[in-house]
Amino acid sequence: MARITLKGNPFSTSGDLPKVGAPAPAFTLATESLGALTSGELAGKRAILNIFPSIDTPTCATSVRRFNADGAKLPGTVVVCVSMDLPFALKRFCGAEGINGVTTASAFRSTFATDYGLRITDG
């Protein structure tokens, strides 16, 4: 289990992130149109996962803006912003912010957070 902090308060997660060099766990996430984005679709591509709890928090919103700007500078790279938000919230935020260089995906109906050791278990 990993320990994280939110406003200085400690929280535990359900496990640890995959080790560097280890295969990433397979996943299926919901897209803005409620379709599926699978890890298999990213196979063979350089992919960056920006994982955060909710787009409607200042730190998480900043990370999406930053990954959108920085990811555009990396040719051949797919940036996937993953959160527990509903796909509609991700679409609303990106539309209002003019963010179009990242792919947003929702883990709201998947085991992604548990599989990656990220599910917050207390606090």
Side-chain angles (χ1 to χ4, degrees):
M1 138 180 53
R3 298 288 288 171
I4 59 174
T5 59
L6 176 61
K7 295 185 179 183
N9 299 309
F11 294 86
S12 300
T13 63
S14 59
D16 295 310
L17 287 171
K19 301 291 182 215
V20 173
F27 60 78
T28 300
L29 301 167
T31 64
E32 290 179 356
S33 63
L34 295 179
L37 172 68
T38 67
S39 52
E41 293 174 57
L42 301 174
K45 299 177 183 176
R46 182 173 24 177
I48 297 172
L49 301 179
N50 173 25
I51 306 165
F52 53 93
S54 175
I55 195 69
D56 291 318
T57 63
T59 301
C60 298
T62 297
S63 80
V64 173
R65 290 184 199 102
R66 179 73 184 263
F67 274 87
N68 183 62
D70 290 353
K73 300 173 190 170
L74 301 170
T77 302
V78 177
V79 177
V80 182
C81 293
V82 182
S83 79
M84 291 300 288
D85 293 302
L86 293 176
F88 311 108
L90 294 166
K91 184 175 182 176
R92 170 193 43 80
F93 175 83
C94 290
E97 295 282 328
I99 292 174
N100 56 16
V102 298
T103 299
T104 58
S106 174
F108 84 103
R109 62 179 178 198
S110 78
T111 59
F112 181 88
T114 300
D115 296 344
Y116 277 72
L118 299 169
R119 183 166 305 283
I120 298 171
T121 59
D122 59 15

